[in-house]
Amino acid sequence: MDAHATGLPADAPVLTPRGPVPAGQIAPGDLVFATGGAGAPFQPVMGLRRHRARCALVHIAAGAIADAGPTETLILPPDVGLLIDGALVRAMDLVDGAGITRDAAAAEHDFIEILLPAHDALLVAGLAVESGVPDAADAFAPRRAPDGPLLAMLAWRAEQFGWRAAAAPAPGPPEVGTRRLRLSALPLTPVLRTAPPGVREDAG
């Protein structure tokens, strides 16, 4: 299996000034919406790299990552980065078996890398997906594995959409600020009993 399957499938909708355009119809000189770098929002396409890789594709259901994205089911190669909270996270690292799944078997696929003046992120079906990396260019954002808050958010969205049953709530500590919690924090203070209704607490 190809260890570096990046780029976009030909039918991935890339945002341009004239609306979404399939990646396979993008040509050098076209303008595309770039969301990750420091330049103007619309960047010119400097070139294209087409390649074939053997990999298991990642399927991201509509709404699996954010309210705005993807706006439709998006199929991506496993090693392409998605810009989330200022970092690039590989598509394959987001697979949760619910809203984000991966093909069971690898197959040959054609991909297109869209090259901009610098490494950047394209808006694809509402998600910020990294562009191709020009030769000798620096990455515009660090790469990292998904952290706990991101994984928890994906799990919550999967539950909201009904892709995964809600987990049973685990028993937790007493509510912060309750009388019982304050008393338990003082080991030398006995727990006070509450008298039944109608009975005075000082009755012998």
Side-chain angles (χ1 to χ4, degrees):
M1 187 184 302
D2 194 315
H4 299 286
T6 61
L8 296 170
D11 60 352
V14 179
L15 185 61
T16 74
R18 49 201 172 100
V21 174
Q25 297 179 19
I26 299 290
D30 288 349
L31 293 178
V32 296
F33 190 90
T35 186
F42 285 103
Q43 297 281 335
V45 175
M46 307 302 292
L48 303 170
R49 280 199 297 245
R50 300 175 187 269
H51 65 97
R52 176 174 284 260
R54 182 174 178 79
C55 62
L57 297 175
V58 175
H59 299 249
I60 305 176
I65 294 180
D67 289 343
T71 53
E72 60 187 74
T73 297
L74 187 59
I75 301 175
L76 295 173
D79 290 289
V80 71
L82 277 66
L83 180 62
I84 302 175
D85 293 335
L88 290 168
V89 181
R90 291 190 307 172
M92 65 183 294
D93 292 335
L94 296 172
V95 171
D96 60 2
I100 306 175
T101 58
R102 193 174 180 188
D103 289 343
E108 296 285 338
H109 300 282
D110 293 316
F111 300 111
I112 302 166
E113 289 185 289
I114 297 175
L115 302 175
L116 303 181
H119 189 216
D120 213 309
L122 308 161
L123 203 60
V124 184
L127 290 183
V129 182
E130 71 170 326
S131 65
V133 183
D135 295 336
D138 294 327
F140 75 94
R143 295 184 183 274
R144 72 174 185 211
D147 56 18
L150 174 56
L151 294 176
M153 185 269 292
L154 295 178
W156 178 84
R157 296 191 72 83
E159 292 176 4
Q160 296 301 303
F161 279 93
W163 298 321
R164 171 181 291 155
E175 182 182 351
V176 174
T178 62
R179 178 170 174 266
R180 178 173 294 276
L181 181 59
R182 292 195 301 271
L183 290 174
S184 65
L186 302 173
L188 300 181
T189 304
V191 176
L192 301 178
R193 291 180 300 151
T194 302
V199 177
R200 294 175 54 188
E201 293 191 8
D202 58 354

